Amino acid sequence: MTVLDSRPDVPGDPRGRIANPNEVPTALIADAGVSMTAVEDFGAGRGPFWLDEWLRANATDVFAWRRHIHSHPELSRHEFATTELVVSLLRSAGLQPWVLPGGTGVVCDIGRGERCVALRADMDSLPLTEDTGLPFTSTVEGVAHMCGHDAHTAILLGAARALAGAPELPGRVRLIFQAAEEVMPGGALDMIAAGALEGVERIYGLHCDPRLEVGKVGTRVGALTSAADLIELRLTSPGGHTSRPHLTADLVYALGTVITSLPSVLSRRVDPRSGTVLVWGAVHAGQAANAVPQDGVLRGTLRTADHEVWKQLEPLVAASVESLLAPTGVGFSLDYRRGVPPVVADQDSTTLIRAGVEAAVGEQGLAGTEQSSGGEDFGWYLEHVQGAFARLGVWPGPPAAQSDIHRPTFVLDERALLVGVRTLVHTALASLA
């Protein structure tokens, strides 16, 4: 299966429109090892009739798509085969997707009308070696879907093909299959720059949550994730002998001052309710015990759940570092890299996605969720339009252990895929109603 137009090295329409539909690989189900004759669907019979009928006939396909993508993971901005699969499956449903100029990432509209809501899924994987023992484990050495993006993509594909078969929609649903969520500042910016949000009223997304039981979807008004910035501080000194620190600038002492003092300074300069936290992840300086090194480096992440605090952090860190290092005589350069903004869901959008969950699987599917210090580039979309982000339960429940994301052992309960399809479809319908 090849969609040449999705390759950046092949000439084509500048917006990446696919000129000719490609045959959908019919062997996907067999290749993915999907042998179940019946798939448990928590929302079966809740309608609408066309969604129930589509899932009865195609639920196994959703599993197969997820397993195929899981077996063939691709790193950020290299999701070419995944893009080809998405385009092929959308084209086979009579839709007209277009690929971003870089060759990864897909946008597609379903329906007609002025009003438009967007549904987003991310497609990239992580540079990790899988250790799950699954029969459809990663076939790419050192690369694996350990964050659930394979599930996100399959869920949105299922929602897309179900919506494409609806007799009528009350407006347009825009599908956003996004590349490069795992790298800062995130592929969402590429989507926005390509015009993916033009005409969109609201945007919604789901993310696998291994702490939430399958069949439930967690929502929250306000901050769900944190802004995540990177700090790299490089120090310089003339160097010298440790017996004569007064004749040089003690670089290691200066590093220690910043390591211990900067988090404390920030805790007194920003609102403690903002969830702001600075944690160092790497430090290096010197080799010999009796030599003051000439250079050193300190790296860490600075996170906050407060959007206004996020705007203030870069100048505050710069001024604080300069003040802390001034007495030491050590030279320094600060590289402050803004990452992603916090994901902040508004009240109305959260109400709509909760309505979608209730319509999809019933009131028992509704759950709350905690604010996380993790970063998620869905926040960039919410800088432009209103929307909500929800956590999709993928834990089978006791006695099964909870396997966290971004670990080589992460697994998910595939029944969550159908919960996700139903939730996205009903949320889009509720938002357009």
Side-chain angles (χ1 to χ4, degrees):
M1 175 181 63
T2 304
V3 180
L4 292 179
D5 303 73
S6 71
R7 298 280 187 178
D9 54 341
V10 177
D13 188 295
R15 296 195 72 182
R17 294 185 184 277
I18 308 304
N20 298 303
N22 287 260
E23 180 182 354
V24 178
T26 56
L28 263 187
I29 293 177
D31 291 346
V34 181
S35 59
M36 67 283 287
T37 56
V39 177
E40 183 179 5
D41 182 354
F42 288 94
R46 300 190 65 87
F49 75 92
W50 50 265
L51 177 57
D52 283 335
E53 289 183 355
W54 189 89
L55 284 172
R56 271 196 299 270
N58 300 284
T60 307
D61 289 355
V62 180
F63 284 68
W65 301 334
R66 181 256 164 167
R67 294 186 180 191
H68 178 84
I69 296 167
H70 187 93
S71 297
H72 303 85
E74 297 172 295
L75 294 175
S76 301
R77 294 198 169 87
H78 291 81
E79 307 93 334
F80 297 112
T82 308
T83 294
E84 290 172 357
L85 175 64
V86 168
V87 167
S88 194
L89 290 169
L90 295 178
R91 292 286 295 183
S92 70
L95 302 175
Q96 296 182 331
W98 56 272
V99 179
L100 266 63
T104 61
V106 182
V107 179
C108 182
D109 279 10
I110 303 175
R112 301 174 183 274
E114 291 298 318
R115 299 189 60 207
C116 179
V117 298
L119 305 175
R120 173 267 203 173
D122 36 18
M123 304 189 298
D124 53 333
S125 60
L126 289 162
L128 290 175
T129 299
E130 183 171 352
D131 186 24
T132 62
L134 292 170
F136 50 92
T137 190
S138 171
T139 59
V140 182
E141 185 176 357
V143 182
H145 272 292
M146 296 290 99
C147 196
H149 294 188
D150 53 336
H152 303 166
T153 302
I155 288 168
L156 187 54
L157 279 169
R161 288 172 66 102
L163 286 164
E168 185 179 4
L169 294 176
R172 284 181 295 135
V173 179
R174 179 161 300 163
L175 315 170
I176 297 177
F177 293 88
Q178 181 205 306
E181 189 278 330
E182 295 290 357
V183 293
M184 290 188 183
L189 291 175
D190 300 330
M191 277 289 175
I192 295 167
L197 291 184
E198 291 178 6
V200 170
E201 292 179 7
R202 298 182 191 272
I203 185 168
Y204 302 93
L206 297 174
H207 198 295
C208 292
D209 187 346
R211 298 162 299 177
L212 192 61
E213 195 164 351
V214 65
K216 295 186 179 296
V217 180
T219 62
R220 174 187 175 92
V221 177
L224 274 82
T225 67
S226 294
D229 296 346
L230 299 178
I231 296 175
E232 182 174 284
L233 180 64
R234 292 189 174 274
L235 304 188
T236 56
S237 164
H241 201 285
T242 56
S243 66
R244 295 180 288 276
H246 58 294
L247 299 181
T248 185
D250 191 340
L251 185 139
V252 174
Y253 173 80
L255 275 172
T257 298
V258 176
I259 289 171
T260 59
S261 297
L262 185 55
S264 298
V265 169
L266 293 177
S267 73
R268 298 302 186 271
R269 296 292 303 277
V270 300
D271 190 329
R273 296 169 295 179
S274 66
T276 303
V277 58
L278 169 61
V279 178
W280 303 113
V283 59
H284 177 76
Q287 298 292 334
N290 62 347
V292 175
Q294 292 181 298
D295 55 69
V297 64
L298 178 61
R299 299 185 181 94
T301 59
L302 179 55
R303 303 171 186 269
T304 184
D306 189 293
H307 200 279
E308 291 305 311
V309 169
W310 183 53
K311 295 178 182 179
Q312 303 164 11
L313 286 178
E314 183 173 0
L316 179 57
V317 167
S320 300
V321 168
E322 183 174 12
S323 177
L324 289 168
L325 292 178
T328 70
V330 170
F332 74 94
S333 64
L334 174 64
D335 182 10
Y336 190 105
R337 280 169 266 173
R338 294 188 84 195
V340 295
V343 172
V344 182
D346 67 276
Q347 176 70 64
D348 290 343
S349 298
T350 304
T351 298
L352 287 166
I353 201 170
R354 286 178 64 85
V357 174
E358 187 169 0
V361 292
E363 187 178 357
Q364 68 276 8
L366 293 170
T369 189
E370 297 178 347
Q371 186 270 326
S372 167
S373 291
E376 161 63 62
D377 79 346
F378 190 84
W380 286 120
Y381 297 116
L382 301 183
E383 296 283 289
H384 298 269
V385 297
Q386 290 184 315
F389 200 61
R391 296 197 170 106
L392 177 68
V394 298
W395 175 43
Q402 293 179 329
S403 55
D404 204 2
I405 57 175
H406 285 230
R407 290 184 180 176
T409 55
F410 170 65
V411 293
L412 58 87
D413 188 324
E414 289 185 318
R415 293 176 296 173
L417 300 178
L418 306 189
V419 176
V421 170
R422 286 187 177 274
T423 296
L424 289 184
V425 168
H426 278 285
T427 299
L429 295 177
S431 193
L432 287 171

